[in-house]
Amino acid sequence: MPDQRGGSERIPPMIEGATAQVRRLYDATLRRRLPRIPGVYNGVVTRRYYLLDLQARLHEPDYKATLVDSMMSAIAPGDTVVEIGGGYGVCTARAAIAVGDEGRVVSYEANAAQVSAIEEALELTGEVRGDRPGDRVDVRQAVVGSDVKIYGSMAGASRIDASDLPACDVLVMDCEGAERAVVRDMEIDPRAVVVESHPQQGSSTDVLTQTLSERGYAIETTRVTVTADGPKDIVTATREIM
């Protein structure tokens, strides 16, 4: 509310600090013991938030919009898509719908709870659509390349070298910095690579574009945001398949 001087009331630093401390305590102790609640994110039904999350938004039509839109533009019916960093299953489900009955999606996710979230997102989205997109998806709990930053526990995850990735038409990556080593070491030659850069994890847009350009890809970048470490972009790399 406005104060008597016509400005906005400022939350006292003491209250801000106490609020942050309560939030950290909630995250560390209670949050992951609560049930997750379903919402719709860019057309996919998934459980992104926990019951008492104050920031919960249960309908985000533009969730990961730049990444999703770039991925959808790259996929054709019948494609094989490999995804590194399945998250909550939004890109996984959208890719499974886009490839159709003749296509296939392989999704790598290191965290067991997120693997379950992806599988549930495929099931819930399929129920809403009257479809079975999960039948086209192989979800694997694995770390691909390096574990630069992993949300949650890696317990039970296998390790996959980037050089052992299966052949695919489209490679999609949102893997918190691991993409730098993947684009350097992979031996596959997808028709398209769609990747989110993570400068705060040492994986800058410049590094990705240079490496992909050296592999013969044409590059297009779309700005997502700017961090203290540099811009975060969606890089779309495409090549002619002879």
Side-chain angles (χ1 to χ4, degrees):
M1 0 177 352
D3 63 19
Q4 291 180 345
R5 294 166 298 175
S8 298
E9 280 189 352
R10 224 182 127 73
I11 299 174
M14 183 180 300
I15 295 178
E16 281 188 336
T19 301
Q21 186 173 2
V22 169
R23 186 179 297 116
R24 285 193 294 270
L25 182 62
Y26 165 67
D27 288 343
T29 59
L30 180 61
R31 185 173 189 255
R32 296 186 185 277
R33 298 170 186 260
L34 297 172
R36 281 180 167 176
I37 49 180
V40 181
Y41 304 96
N42 208 320
V44 174
V45 184
T46 189
R47 296 179 191 267
R48 182 182 176 203
Y49 289 106
Y50 291 86
L51 183 61
L52 297 182
D53 286 359
L54 296 179
Q55 79 274 30
R57 296 180 299 279
L58 302 183
H59 180 58
E60 291 186 40
D62 295 326
Y63 177 75
K64 292 279 186 180
T66 306
L67 178 61
V68 171
D69 290 348
S70 299
M71 178 191 73
M72 295 295 284
S73 295
I75 295 174
D79 275 351
T80 295
V81 177
V82 168
E83 174 190 38
I84 304 175
Y88 296 98
V90 175
C91 283
T92 319
R94 292 295 302 270
I97 293 165
V99 299
D101 291 336
E102 302 302 316
R104 191 74 185 157
V105 177
V106 179
S107 178
Y108 295 99
E109 169 57 50
N111 180 272
Q114 294 304 114
V115 168
S116 297
I118 294 166
E119 293 171 338
E120 184 182 46
L122 291 164
E123 182 179 351
L124 292 173
T125 303
E127 289 175 0
V128 170
R129 289 175 49 85
D131 190 9
R132 296 179 62 88
D135 290 350
R136 306 166 204 139
V137 181
D138 180 7
V139 184
R140 304 177 185 178
Q141 188 191 357
V143 177
V144 179
S146 57
D147 52 337
V148 177
K149 181 176 181 181
I150 302 292
Y151 291 105
S153 171
M154 289 171 48
S158 60
R159 283 190 177 271
I160 306 293
D161 289 336
S163 59
D164 292 329
L165 285 170
C168 62
D169 301 290
V170 179
L171 175 63
V172 181
M173 288 184 279
D174 183 7
C175 47
E176 305 304 322
E179 64 275 358
R180 177 179 181 178
V182 172
V183 299
R184 182 191 65 211
D185 298 337
M186 67 183 188
E187 295 185 0
I188 58 175
D189 289 303
R191 182 184 70 242
V193 178
V194 180
V195 53
E196 182 175 296
S197 65
H198 293 88
Q200 69 274 36
Q201 307 300 339
S203 181
S204 69
T205 300
D206 289 344
V207 168
L208 293 174
T209 56
Q210 179 178 347
T211 305
L212 288 164
S213 294
E214 290 171 353
R215 296 179 66 103
Y217 286 93
I219 307 298
E220 179 182 342
T221 62
T222 306
R223 183 61 38 85
V224 176
T225 187
V226 176
T227 74
D229 301 292
K232 176 185 284 192
D233 300 306
I234 302 301
V235 177
T236 303
T238 56
R239 67 187 310 162
E240 291 288 340
I241 301 297
M242 306 302 293

